[in-house]
Amino acid sequence: MEEAFRINQRKSRKARNDVAVQGTNDSSILSKVSMVKLGYFNDLFLREFVDKDVRRSPSINRGYYIRMKALEYALNMFYTVYDQKEVQIVNLGAGFDATWFRLDDERKQRTHFIDIDFPEVMQRKLALIEVRSRLNEQFEPIHTYSSLENFAVTNEKYSLIGVDMRDPLTLNTLLQTVKVDETKPTLLISEVVLTYMGRSSCNRVIQWILDFFQECILCTYEQVLPDDGFGQVMVAHFAKLGSPLKCIHQYPTSESQVQRYTHLGFDVSLCVNMHNFYRNYLPIDEHNRIDTLEPFDEIEEWQSKCAHYILLFENLINNNNNNNLNDEQIKPNIQFESYPTTMTYAQRFGHQSILINEKYVWTIGGFGTVDGRHRRLKTIEVLNIDNGDIQRLDNHLLGEHVFHTCHQSDNLIFSFFGRKSPGTLNSYTSIDINTLQVTNFNEDEKILRRWRHCSCYIKETNKIIIFGGYLNMSKSTNDILCLQSNGQLIQSQFSQTKPTNRHSARLNAYKHLAVLSGGLLENDEPTNEIWLLDTSKDIMNWTLLQTNGIIIPRYSHSAEIIDDTLWLLGGMNANERRPPGLCKINLITGEAIEYIIPTMCNEQPIILYNHQTVLLNKTTFLILGGGGNCFSFGAHINQPMILKFDHLVN
């Protein structure tokens, strides 16, 4: 009896999991329709499978766009390889996918297209086809087969099969009833399907493919990299939905996926992550077109999402994947520790945190949560680092600022630029620490408003330097501004040699120099350049620091200078298999060392971009906020943390 009870429990868990997996179809079809409606991708038929439209966020629209473009690319390559030949396409876990309906007439005539999914999903799909004229005018079934709850319908060019694909015997029977030819060239598509199966079930499906088809190409699109901050949020999201990613820890990287399919019997397995696919397989005109569809400023989230999804298929394309794992990085014994506060603090990103009078940390602006809604923040939070007390200031007129910079001068905090919304940029303002009075400075349009720029105050020359940033959604700059400490513009000259256009870099003061690190270039590639600007001369001169050792390119990181050492913490780089860690750069010798840092703090994921660091002492960072929206998996913002690195200083 106990054994029977355990068996029933396993069956019950399996049934719940199957229902949850089926539910992912309903969510994804709504997201695809949102993306199509805004013009990302041309598909006239997807809308027929939903009753109402929803509008997703720009990052979700882009995520589903790149998914559709990658699968379209695989489809086009398949048809190119088998030009003019009779072929088959088997869509595993097809859901409400409308690929067959949008094929042109030439491809339809030489293709037998088979959609396979759970019987419940295929029954719903068939019912929608029957009542939507745009669909049923293309598909009128002439043969129907059924066995218990499993079924197949076909017009011999398009077939729908309702079956659990983990049941190969029934699946084979239904494929034979719709006259699938195991000798014809066949493309099998698995669009986020196999990842929901346990390893043994998944490998059985792959083995079935190898056994049934004599000439086939398997194309899979699924997740990788479960262990960094973004990956942990992604894995937790699917687990919470009841549809866990069951194979991702066994095959966590592109390389392990390639080895897996090779071991199972495929001749060649090659893969590309979506970051590299977007850069290398889509033309610049397409990039420019996408940039015009809707305001978009979630670059880190977009590149993170793309780095965590791969398109893998056999015998079809060359691999231009450039995922690097830099084995010259050092893994020191350092851990993040929670920083105790009396209430929630700095739950935001794209903000500024500055230390006032060696005791108070003022956190200004950014994007966070208010009353359960994500929005740009006006509230200023003041942290007393002696006792962890927090004061919230709302009685001011500073307004919303995101991706701005701040500096203190006497009793004023200057806030430079940033944006209120994607289309509204701030001028620069000051707020009085004692009275909270706000003053707007120089509205002269000659001063280019911007966001995602960087700035620093250089005490030795009493100058504020502002560099780079975004001027609009598609153009960054290398424009430089020089101001007095009171906020007044100084007409200045700079050397002809200077850094190229970039945004999300960092600028720090070092003696009479401004030190520029990292940033995202106009080609959407991060850089590891370190530039020095001499502010003591009438014509300020830029010099590129010659470095030795490893500096991982990054942007949206934090940077601090302690004595003669520049420290870079975190940042974004979608080309690397692990996120950038802690980099130590000697500004005299150029010697650089990269340290690997943990991806968790107290069992919570860490996403280290768009955060702020405050030096508590020469060997301790206070890390505030950072993170963001993780595609459709929800938002993750770091809790306040400290990082002690005293043993790395020497």
Side-chain angles (χ1 to χ4, degrees), residues 563-577:
D563 296 330
D564 297 318
T565 301
L566 171 65
W567 297 85
L568 310 180
L569 179 63
M572 180 63 204
N573 184 330
N575 298 320
E576 295 287 330
R577 195 189 302 169

Side-chain angles (χ1 to χ4, degrees), residues 330 332-334 567 582 584 595 644-650:
I330 298 171
N333 182 26
I334 57 174
W567 297 85
L582 179 64
K584 172 185 175 184
Y595 299 103
K644 297 179 180 179
F645 53 96
D646 49 308
H647 58 298
L648 304 181
V649 171
N650 296 315

Side-chain angles (χ1 to χ4, degrees), residues 47-79:
R47 295 184 192 180
E48 304 298 323
F49 290 104
V50 299
D51 294 324
K52 62 179 181 179
D53 294 346
V54 297
R55 178 158 183 169
R56 301 296 200 202
S57 69
S59 62
I60 293 178
N61 287 330
R62 283 195 173 213
Y64 278 91
Y65 156 77
I66 197 67
R67 172 171 169 170
M68 296 287 279
K69 291 298 288 186
L71 293 167
E72 178 188 60
Y73 180 84
L75 195 72
N76 290 338
M77 288 298 294
F78 176 72
Y79 277 114

Side-chain angles (χ1 to χ4, degrees), residues 169-343:
L169 292 178
T170 305
L171 179 56
N172 283 351
T173 299
L174 291 172
L175 287 171
Q176 290 165 359
T177 60
V178 299
K179 299 181 181 179
V180 169
D181 187 343
E182 63 269 20
T183 65
K184 280 186 178 179
T186 302
L187 172 67
L188 296 106
I189 301 170
S190 169
E191 180 186 345
V192 196
V193 174
L194 298 179
T195 188
Y196 294 127
M197 300 181 187
R199 181 166 59 176
S200 58
S201 295
C202 184
N203 288 348
R204 281 198 301 272
V205 171
I206 297 170
Q207 190 59 52
W208 162 77
I209 292 169
L210 290 166
D211 292 342
F212 189 92
F213 296 99
Q214 296 181 19
E215 186 175 359
C216 70
I217 295 167
L218 173 62
C219 168
T220 64
Y221 177 90
E222 57 188 62
Q223 303 90 339
V224 290
L225 305 180
D227 296 320
D228 63 13
F230 186 99
Q232 292 174 56
V233 173
M234 175 178 71
V235 170
H237 166 79
F238 286 103
K240 185 177 180 180
L241 292 179
S243 51
L245 306 179
K246 295 184 176 180
C247 280
I248 193 168
H249 290 288
Q250 284 88 6
Y251 308 106
T253 64
S254 300
E255 291 81 1
S256 62
Q257 288 278 12
V258 169
Q259 293 168 4
R260 168 196 195 182
Y261 286 100
T262 302
H263 177 74
L264 288 169
F266 285 94
D267 292 336
V268 180
S269 288
L270 300 172
C271 65
V272 58
N273 74 22
M274 291 302 96
H275 176 65
N276 285 314
F277 177 82
Y278 183 74
R279 289 187 312 152
N280 299 326
Y281 292 82
L282 299 182
I284 190 64
D285 289 349
E286 178 68 359
H287 292 195
N288 295 336
R289 184 185 74 85
I290 295 305
D291 287 341
T292 66
L293 294 179
E294 58 182 331
F296 183 73
D297 194 24
E298 295 145 302
I299 306 157
E300 296 85 2
E301 292 88 341
W302 161 241
Q303 293 196 352
S304 291
K305 185 272 175 190
C306 288
H308 285 77
Y309 278 81
I310 60 169
L311 180 73
L312 184 147
F313 47 118
E314 292 72 37
N315 305 321
L316 205 52
I317 65 168
N318 291 322
N319 182 23
N320 283 340
N321 193 347
N322 193 29
N323 269 349
N324 300 312
L325 182 62
N326 201 319
D327 291 326
E328 294 185 55
Q329 297 178 66
I330 298 171
K331 189 171 184 179
N333 182 26
I334 57 174
Q335 297 294 327
F336 291 97
E337 301 174 19
S338 293
Y339 183 81
T341 58
T342 56
M343 63 178 73

Side-chain angles (χ1 to χ4, degrees), residues 476-492:
S476 58
T477 183
N478 63 351
D479 179 73
I480 311 163
L481 297 177
C482 182
L483 294 87
Q484 297 174 0
S485 61
N486 62 5
Q488 296 302 309
L489 183 67
I490 304 172
Q491 296 299 326
S492 305

Side-chain angles (χ1 to χ4, degrees), residues 100-116:
W100 182 79
F101 291 94
R102 69 172 186 268
L103 291 180
D104 61 34
D105 290 340
E106 187 274 333
R107 288 181 174 181
K108 273 196 176 85
Q109 287 303 312
R110 62 187 181 97
T111 303
H112 184 186
F113 199 106
I114 305 99
D115 277 343
I116 301 174

Side-chain angles (χ1 to χ4, degrees), residues 124-151:
R124 291 171 58 204
K125 186 171 190 175
L126 184 59
L128 287 169
I129 292 172
E130 289 172 347
V131 299
R132 303 287 165 87
S133 58
R134 178 173 277 175
L135 301 177
N136 62 42
E137 68 186 13
Q138 294 203 45
F139 176 69
E140 184 177 346
I142 57 176
H143 298 296
T144 302
Y145 310 90
S146 62
S147 173
L148 299 176
E149 73 272 16
N150 306 301
F151 72 94

